[in-house]
Amino acid sequence: MSDDQELDLSALPDDELVAQMHDDLYDGLADEIAEGTNILLAREWTASDVLNEALVEGMRIVGIDFRDGILFVPEVLLAANAMKAGMKILRPLLAETGADTIGKVVIGTVKGDIHDIGKNLVAMMLEGAGFDVIDLGINTDVDEYLDALDEHKPDILGMSALLTTTMPYMKVVIDTMVERGIRNDYLVLVGGAPLNAEFGEAVGADAYCRDAAVASDTAKELVLRRRMMASEDA
């Protein structure tokens, strides 16, 4: 907005400030998100409340418009970058209080593939949805995936590929998980431009996600469903 520079965020009451932060996230304004985060914390908001009400809710709005084709990858990357500015302030506070996240995700682009824009976008959207994300980067081999699963004990393993030649490596990772008897300990999500739902099913993934917004929604849905089933079995 043209008058954003004149706006004194500290003069806004809480509800208006949160609404403004949703707008600023949408517009990718990192400095304003950092300022708004600090103002809410100074007003004795908990780090969890700032995360959920200002940042996660703002990214939820971004995700809906990305899914519906109103926003595109460059705008979502800007929004995610603004989210990071708020998370940089909140992360140490959340760690201090032991605040619960929705869940934990280990994600990486598979061996032989160095494409990471889609994977980075998924990681940012997951973080924006309230997940703790461990990003293994590009060219990730089976041992790196398994070591990360062993170290971080996530809810979800996410694998990305952009090349048709690297897609089959996803099956190598999942088959190795089966061999080691750990496949059922984790939800496995796969994605990337050349993939489809049939491929996801063929390699043994729990779900194929066509874009970052779908990945975020699917991750939330599957984690909550698994926890509900676990509580029913207990």
Side-chain angles (χ1 to χ4, degrees):
M1 283 184 259
S2 59
D3 59 352
D4 270 354
Q5 290 174 333
E6 317 301 323
L7 192 60
D8 180 4
L9 294 179
S10 63
L12 297 175
D14 289 4
D15 57 342
E16 289 181 28
L17 175 56
V18 168
Q20 183 60 45
M21 288 176 71
H22 295 166
D23 288 346
D24 290 343
L25 254 182
Y26 197 92
D27 294 335
L29 304 177
D31 290 346
E32 285 80 352
I33 290 299
E35 184 185 350
T37 298
N38 281 322
I39 291 168
L40 289 174
L41 290 171
R43 293 179 186 177
E44 300 190 344
W45 277 51
T46 66
S48 289
D49 284 345
V50 178
L51 172 67
N52 292 317
E53 294 185 35
L55 301 187
V56 171
E57 178 58 21
M59 283 302 286
R60 188 185 70 81
I61 297 163
V62 170
I64 289 168
D65 280 4
F66 177 54
R67 182 194 65 205
D68 293 345
I70 297 164
L71 289 178
F72 299 97
V73 169
E75 291 98 327
V76 178
L77 287 172
L78 280 173
N81 193 52
M83 164 97 184
K84 278 187 168 179
M87 285 302 298
K88 188 176 179 183
I89 297 162
L90 294 178
R91 194 173 279 113
L93 300 173
L94 292 165
E96 255 174 48
T97 58
D100 287 338
T101 56
I102 289 183
K104 193 183 286 187
V105 181
V106 162
I107 190 171
T109 303
V110 297
K111 184 180 178 181
D113 208 316
I114 59 168
H115 296 89
D116 66 355
I117 290 177
K119 184 263 300 167
N120 292 347
L121 194 54
V122 170
M124 289 173 183
M125 290 292 284
L126 287 168
E127 192 163 66
F131 282 93
D132 181 13
V133 179
I134 297 95
D135 188 344
L136 303 180
I138 57 173
N139 194 28
T140 310
D141 69 25
V142 63
D143 290 332
E144 289 174 279
Y145 281 120
L146 294 177
D147 287 347
L149 293 179
D150 191 45
E151 179 184 350
H152 300 288
K153 298 287 188 287
D155 300 278
I156 293 173
L157 170 64
M159 292 187 284
S160 168
L162 192 67
L163 303 173
T164 53
T165 51
T166 61
M167 287 164 51
Y169 197 76
M170 293 177 173
K171 190 170 189 313
V172 173
V173 176
I174 294 171
D175 285 352
T176 306
M177 292 170 71
V178 171
E179 284 166 20
R180 299 205 181 173
I182 61 169
R183 171 63 187 88
N184 293 333
D185 296 343
Y186 306 98
L187 294 161
V188 178
L189 305 184
V190 296
L195 279 66
N196 56 32
E198 290 74 23
F199 176 83
E201 198 174 317
V203 298
D206 289 286
Y208 150 75
C209 305
R210 74 173 185 275
D211 60 39
V214 170
S216 173
D217 288 344
T218 303
K220 280 188 287 189
E221 182 187 325
L222 291 180
V223 166
L224 293 174
R225 188 191 305 163
R226 174 172 273 208
R227 286 190 187 152
M228 200 179 300
M229 288 169 66
S231 66
E232 285 170 1
D233 292 341

